[in-house]
Amino acid sequence: MADFMTETDERSAGVPRPGTAGEPREKAQDSAAGAPDGQEAVAQLERTRALVDPELRTAVESLPGAMRRVGLYHFGWQHADGTPATGNAGKAIRPALVLAAAAALGGPAARTAAVRAAVAVELVHNFTLLHDDVMDRDTTRRHRPTAWTVFGDADAILAGDAVQALALRLLAEDPHPAAVPAAARLAACVVELCEGQHVDTDMERRAPDSVTLDEVLAMAEAKTGALLGCACAVGGLYAGASAEEVAALDGFGRQAGLAFQLIDDVIGIWGDPRHTGKPAGADLAARKKSLPVVAALTSGTPAAAELAALYGEPYLEGGAQDGEIARTALAVERAGGRDWAQAEAADRMARAMQELARAVPDPEAAGGLLALAEFVTRRTA
Amino acid sequence: MADFMTETDERSAGVPRPGTAGEPREKAQDSAAGAPDGQEAVAQLERTRALVDPELRTAVESLPGAMRRVGLYHFGWQHADGTPATGNAGKAIRPALVLAAAAALGGPAARTAAVRAAVAVELVHNFTLLHDDVMDRDTTRRHRPTAWTVFGDADAILAGDAVQALALRLLAEDPHPAAVPAAARLAACVVELCEGQHVDTDMERRAPDSVTLDEVLAMAEAKTGALLGCACAVGGLYAGASAEEVAALDGFGRQAGLAFQLIDDVIGIWGDPRHTGKPAGADLAARKKSLPVVAALTSGTPAAAELAALYGEPYLEGGAQDGEIARTALAVERAGGRDWAQAEAADRMARAMQELARAVPDPEAAGGLLALAEFVTRRTA
């Protein structure tokens, strides 16, 4: 599932910021007026790491033997040989959303109470990363070899299993009255994440013309939006939020997650390789059925037919196909895939803002969540 | 992890029944005097299936898309093509232990209250089976192709993940006051199961002379004993048992689980192929470091050296090594591996009985748990 760490560090693209955010967004922007773009979110993420990391690390260190070793490696606290590493456990977007949602509706006391739940959400995220890397045969994660390349498939799978269990154990041992509904919600989210990952791998195997835009949007919501929504909802539970507020927080996180995925997919095609750290058009060369590509394929335009023909054949590295990636990107663009994705991202951010206004009517209080949503969807850094 | 279904159906061997069971065991035997060997346990298992299956199936059917399909296949309710199957979800030993422990200390009301927890324990067991089959490349489970052979590794891993989450979600949604401590205990047990599976696969890769008997006993306790102990402990929690009673129930299940594993390993070497359904000495041909083998290897006898030499080379199917399996089995026996395993099994059953007497001093009330422990360790059917 998507990891914001690399993308936000390394990718950049000119993506329009949603212009229809309405009252809460503008007010909240005012409230962060002293901070330049993204600085408020960066400060939040740093505070989150400081609050969450000690308990996260204690939890991972409570694992036995090999589970502990793989866990400490995956989170960046140990090298493969077990010696200490400086640590690079990602940007902590999800725990930051938990804490920001708790603070938005319950103030600093709720934020403090929700730290353990934030740790649980981060553990769930990392369990999915451990397993997805095995399934997708991804070899690099956070600039380091993935756990399965170092410890083998079996230990990476087992460590993921143990990290999922650890997350739900933390909540079961948390005496806070929100811990039990939070655990139920997080467990339901895991099921959704699993189905999202299934649909993703399944779609990649299918013929390009058999995938619908609704399918790929539903997949992105399950795979990326669900856990962002769950993080916000869990934070709300710890603030004693009503069922309506919790549902709106979930919707906020889901829509922001979809906006993120749309923008990430645009950058995957048109992003500057100097910033993305990936060769230009790597997603196209891999014939990935990303959101702009499926929008283009299903557009009914002449360019869609050209794109389908290109996607029908595997990309071969080397001279014979020089210029093919550029032609493929152009076909996606001419079929409207780029414009659609950018408009859809803006629309999803607008929906996220509406949900946020429903959940947290006070723009001042909503500022933290808003800054995080803008941080993950803004790519002009 | 060990599945009692096939073994108890298909294996048989003359294994001594523990003779030092003490007061509770004898009394409980009296109380089941009207029932021939194992009949009481069989009746309990049938009652358990009738109580647990509807909720288990509802839970699995609540999964989305592919997770549901893989789950229904794994539990034997659907064929690979999605058509209904008659169902063969195993013997339900673990849920039976949950219900028997609840009934032993809390009567019929506690038994009824614990049904959802019994479902959760059975889901955890099956999540580990789904994943272990992937890691061990096992192709058959309950007389059918394993899920990964039908749906691929990725979907089997994802379905296992979803089934773990489902188990903990059921407990998070159970309003019973025991549900939260039961969830914490079950999650902690998952971590232990994962480490046990890691140690097992790791030991199989190591040189025969590098494995100690303590290591293989600890592995068997983590891999087989832990979930049996957890099942009993969870049942106790639903009966409002004290911390001491819960610990004793856990110890009862763990020791009975170790006795089971010892006997299963003996049958894996000396069992009658007509009953085991496996070729004679399959465990030896696979160079499995089972409990009797490690006991033999570490015995310091001349036969131990002979066995180490045999185990140092891979077994090759075919004529050149005819008689090698018989020689290997004889070396294990001459090195004392068989006698040790049988004595150790009897000792573990005696310890299980002591724990049971501590947890449930009333022999009448302990009868159900006793019958289940004898059922899984008796192999003269």
Side-chain angles (χ1 to χ4, degrees):
Chain A
M1 290 134 203
D3 186 355
F4 298 106
M5 208 289 304
T6 19
E7 294 86 348
T8 46
D9 270 351
E10 300 190 350
R11 291 184 166 185
S12 93
V15 173
R17 295 171 66 181
T20 54
E23 177 75 351
R25 179 162 174 273
E26 280 153 30
K27 280 267 185 67
Q29 277 190 322
D30 288 347
S31 80
D37 271 4
Q39 201 167 301
E40 148 71 8
V42 170
Q44 263 194 81
L45 293 168
E46 277 169 14
R47 278 200 307 273
T48 300
R49 280 253 84 100
L51 280 168
V52 163
D53 269 3
E55 191 157 346
L56 182 62
R57 185 154 183 172
T58 300
V60 174
E61 286 184 338
S62 78
L63 293 171
M67 303 300 98
R68 181 174 184 274
R69 205 154 51 243
V70 180
L72 289 173
Y73 173 82
H74 169 79
F75 280 98
W77 293 316
Q78 279 189 2
H79 297 295
D81 63 1
T83 55
T86 48
N88 177 1
K91 277 256 186 296
I93 290 287
R94 291 162 193 78
L97 287 171
V98 175
L99 301 185
L105 288 174
R111 187 207 307 270
T112 305
V115 167
R116 192 180 292 189
V119 172
V121 168
E122 186 70 352
L123 287 169
V124 161
H125 174 53
N126 281 278
F127 128 65
T128 66
L129 296 180
L130 280 160
H131 282 192
D132 288 359
D133 285 343
V134 172
M135 292 173 225
D136 301 339
R137 308 321 283 166
D138 281 333
T139 54
T140 303
R141 162 83 52 203
R142 295 168 188 153
H143 309 283
R144 303 164 77 221
T146 45
W148 70 267
T149 67
V150 176
F151 301 98
D153 286 11
D155 281 357
I157 295 170
L158 290 167
D161 291 343
V163 169
Q164 183 192 167
L166 196 54
L168 292 159
R169 181 184 172 181
L170 278 189
L171 290 176
E173 290 175 347
D174 181 355
H176 194 284
V180 172
R185 202 157 185 119
L186 192 56
C189 181
V190 167
V191 172
E192 192 175 352
L193 294 169
C194 291
E195 181 66 11
Q197 168 71 3
H198 159 77
V199 172
D200 191 23
T201 43
D202 184 59
M203 277 195 330
E204 291 303 326
R205 277 194 225 103
R206 281 160 53 191
D209 61 359
S210 73
V211 175
T212 70
L213 198 49
D214 279 349
E215 270 184 308
V216 70
L217 276 168
M219 181 278 291
E221 181 173 340
K223 218 182 129 161
T224 306
L227 190 52
L228 297 194
C230 184
C232 298
V234 163
L237 289 169
Y238 274 76
S242 69
E244 289 70 27
E245 288 165 332
V246 170
L249 284 166
D250 187 89
F252 161 73
R254 279 179 187 267
Q255 298 300 333
L258 268 172
F260 159 76
Q261 193 58 61
L262 284 153
I263 291 165
D264 197 54
D265 284 356
V266 167
I267 293 169
I269 300 174
W270 294 282
D272 184 337
R274 285 170 302 177
H275 291 107
T276 63
K278 296 210 275 181
D283 285 0
L284 296 177
R287 306 304 192 212
K288 272 206 65 160
K289 297 186 188 78
S290 65
L291 287 153
V293 166
V294 174
L297 284 168
T298 55
S299 64
T301 59
E306 188 194 343
L307 179 62
L310 287 160
Y311 255 55
E313 301 292 330
Y315 176 76
L316 302 168
E317 298 288 344
Q321 287 179 314
D322 262 1
E324 199 216 275
I325 291 300
R327 266 195 299 138
T328 310
L330 194 62
V332 177
E333 189 155 5
R334 281 177 32 235
R338 183 177 193 165
D339 286 347
W340 172 84
Q342 289 183 323
E344 185 74 17
D347 181 52
R348 296 295 178 163
M349 269 303 271
R351 289 199 220 178
M353 295 308 118
Q354 285 162 8
E355 298 279 13
L356 183 57
R358 277 210 302 141
V360 190
D362 173 12
E364 195 76 35
L369 285 168
L370 177 68
L372 289 171
E374 294 197 322
F375 177 80
V376 300
T377 53
R378 184 191 306 124
R379 300 306 179 80
T380 49
Chain B
M1 290 138 203
D3 186 355
F4 298 107
M5 209 287 304
T6 18
E7 293 86 347
T8 47
D9 269 351
E10 300 191 346
R11 291 183 163 186
S12 95
V15 172
R17 295 170 64 181
T20 54
E23 177 75 352
R25 179 164 172 272
E26 279 152 30
K27 281 267 184 69
Q29 276 189 322
D30 287 348
S31 79
D37 270 4
Q39 201 168 303
E40 149 73 7
V42 170
Q44 265 194 80
L45 293 169
E46 278 168 14
R47 278 200 307 274
T48 299
R49 279 253 83 101
L51 281 167
V52 163
D53 269 2
E55 190 156 348
L56 182 62
R57 185 152 182 174
T58 300
V60 174
E61 286 184 339
S62 79
L63 293 171
M67 304 299 98
R68 182 174 184 274
R69 202 152 56 243
V70 180
L72 289 172
Y73 173 84
H74 170 80
F75 279 98
W77 293 315
Q78 280 189 1
H79 298 296
D81 63 2
T83 55
T86 48
N88 177 3
K91 276 253 186 299
I93 290 286
R94 291 162 193 79
L97 287 172
V98 175
L99 301 184
L105 288 174
R111 187 205 309 269
T112 305
V115 167
R116 190 179 294 188
V119 172
V121 167
E122 186 69 351
L123 286 169
V124 161
H125 175 52
N126 281 278
F127 127 66
T128 67
L129 297 180
L130 279 160
H131 282 192
D132 287 1
D133 285 344
V134 171
M135 291 173 226
D136 301 340
R137 309 319 282 166
D138 280 333
T139 55
T140 303
R141 161 83 51 203
R142 295 168 187 153
H143 309 283
R144 304 164 76 221
T146 45
W148 69 267
T149 67
V150 176
F151 300 98
D153 285 12
D155 281 356
I157 295 170
L158 289 167
D161 292 343
V163 169
Q164 183 192 167
L166 195 55
L168 291 159
R169 181 184 171 180
L170 279 187
L171 290 175
E173 290 174 347
D174 181 355
H176 195 284
V180 172
R185 204 159 183 119
L186 192 56
C189 182
V190 167
V191 172
E192 192 174 352
L193 294 168
C194 291
E195 181 66 11
Q197 168 71 4
H198 158 79
V199 172
D200 192 21
T201 43
D202 183 60
M203 276 195 332
E204 291 303 326
R205 277 194 225 105
R206 282 160 52 192
D209 61 359
S210 73
V211 174
T212 69
L213 198 50
D214 280 349
E215 269 184 309
V216 69
L217 277 168
M219 182 277 290
E221 181 172 341
K223 218 182 129 161
T224 306
L227 190 53
L228 298 194
C230 183
C232 298
V234 163
L237 288 169
Y238 275 76
S242 70
E244 290 71 27
E245 289 166 332
V246 170
L249 284 167
D250 186 90
F252 162 73
R254 279 178 187 267
Q255 298 299 332
L258 268 172
F260 159 77
Q261 194 57 61
L262 286 153
I263 292 165
D264 196 55
D265 284 356
V266 167
I267 292 168
I269 299 173
W270 296 281
D272 185 336
R274 286 171 302 177
H275 292 107
T276 62
K278 296 210 276 181
D283 285 0
L284 296 177
R287 305 305 192 213
K288 271 206 65 162
K289 298 186 188 78
S290 65
L291 287 153
V293 166
V294 175
L297 283 168
T298 55
S299 64
T301 60
E306 189 196 342
L307 179 61
L310 287 160
Y311 254 55
E313 302 291 332
Y315 176 77
L316 302 168
E317 298 288 343
Q321 286 180 317
D322 262 1
E324 199 216 274
I325 291 299
R327 266 197 296 139
T328 310
L330 194 62
V332 177
E333 189 153 8
R334 283 176 31 235
R338 185 177 191 164
D339 287 347
W340 171 83
Q342 289 182 324
E344 185 75 17
D347 181 53
R348 297 294 178 164
M349 270 303 271
R351 290 197 219 178
M353 296 306 119
Q354 286 164 7
E355 298 278 14
L356 183 57
R358 279 211 299 142
V360 190
D362 173 13
E364 196 76 36
L369 285 168
L370 177 68
L372 289 170
E374 293 196 322
F375 177 80
V376 299
T377 54
R378 185 193 303 124
R379 302 304 180 81
T380 49

